[in-house]
Amino acid sequence: MSRHAHPPARPVDEHLRAVTAALRDLHPPARTVPLGEALGRVLAEDLVAPLDLQPFDNAQMDGFAVRAADTAGNGGRGRAALAVVAPVPAGHLPPPLGPGEAAPVMTGAPLPPGADAVVPVEEAEPRGFPAAGATVRLPADQPPGRFVRRVGEDVRAGTTVLPAGRRLTPARIGLAAALGLDRLPVCGRARALVYTTGDELVPPGAPRGPAQVYDANAAILRAQLEEAGVEVLAAGLVPDDPAAFAARLAADVRTGPDLVVTSGGVSEGAYEVVRQVLGGAGQFLHVAVQPGGPQGLARVHGVPVVCLPGNPVSTLVSFELFLRPALTAVLGSPAPRARRTAPLAEPVRPLPGRTQVRRAVLEAGAVRMAGGPGSHLLAAAARADALAVLPPGADELPAGTPVEVLVLDPPEGG
Ligand SMILES: Nc1nc2c(c(=O)[nH]1)N[C@H]1C(S)=C(S)[C@@H](COP(=O)(O)OP(=O)(O)OC[C@H]3O[C@@H](n4cnc5c(N)ncnc54)[C@H](O)[C@@H]3O)O[C@H]1N2
Ligand code: MOO
Ligand SMILES: [Mg+2]
């Protein structure tokens, strides 16, 4: 027996290129969705304003609309006496304001034609809104434009307010609504089927036998895909029964997924269901990385199948290393994870001949390991907010060594 059980492992960047190439035909068509379904989607076309914002000149304060020139006085001292006319509620179009007049005006109400300033009611004497016909005394020398929100001040009709490619946030959806749009063109989402494999798996919530474990990977992959903007058509487990898996896959791919993702059943065991069913339609190999060594790529009825190893942390890390960046390369989203270099908070021993990806916590700018390197240590992965990428090496890396990290999450509470 050779000491090496496998042919030379494929470098990480080469496998990323292979996954990206496998997904290259993913082109989900753009569509138009109601604003209520737009959150988190990516805008497919430039958004051009059909309207000015503000749509008309209006009051920024509850107060009195005046002609500023009518308040001209002795250098800012004293008050100007003006004749109160009918009040202007928001939502109502006022008549023009004559010389010497002051119209009670509410925030958001159109400015009466002829008025060019608003004096807040707090500055009026007497304070409050008197009836039409009364006199109000307002501070002298009001500057023109005071507390007036100008038509087009925020947005000019015909200008691009959001370029294509922006992710739709509450503020951006609100802007579309303020412009009178009830639907937005969004990039199509790729649609994925997820299979987790293994006779030992039971779905969370079901009774568990003594040799069984709960299926963590269906939940992991569903969440990772959805976080990456992919629609998950179905995610569930299949037993280690090649005939059953083959039949299920053949039926399910007819529902029109763009992509199939599997977990488990790709390594060297006697019951590797994914490898047995898809080995002939694809490539199953080892990548020079831990976790995530055993990987597979296949195609079923033209649909790409990305096969990830079954250990939960291997699935999790494989998605971050291969599937997520491949989706970004092909579809332009999700946004790539932030990558940065940070010093090790503690000494760490890398792996000879293989990149090692450790779950890590960023602590005051330094990288501390979250648990050991074992790909079954899911609780430690759940504590992590970063992945530390350690290049292959024989020697321990001392504390302070700069290493590359992928930032997964902003720190808790940060
Ligand atoms: N002789 C060798 N054995 C193994 C090798 C190897 O190179 N030679 N590689 C090891 C590595 S590395 C990994 S990673 C795993 C990959 O195994 P598979 O992809 O074939 O996955 P399974 O055998 O189905 O399961 C492995 C492990 O993960 C647990 N698992 C699987 N699916 C789930 C799930 N959905 N939820 C929770 N846990 C899951 C499963 O119970 C096993 O414990 O192979 C090594 N072996
Ligand atoms: O690749 Mo396995 O993922 O080392 O545990
Ligand atoms: Mg296995």
Side-chain angles (χ1 to χ4, degrees), residues 37 50 63 116 197 226 231 277 282 390 414:
E37 293 169 25
D116 60 359
T197 65
E226 286 181 354
E231 182 182 346
V277 170
L390 311 176

Side-chain angles (χ1 to χ4, degrees), residues 264-269 272:
V266 299
S267 192
E268 306 293 325
E272 306 292 26

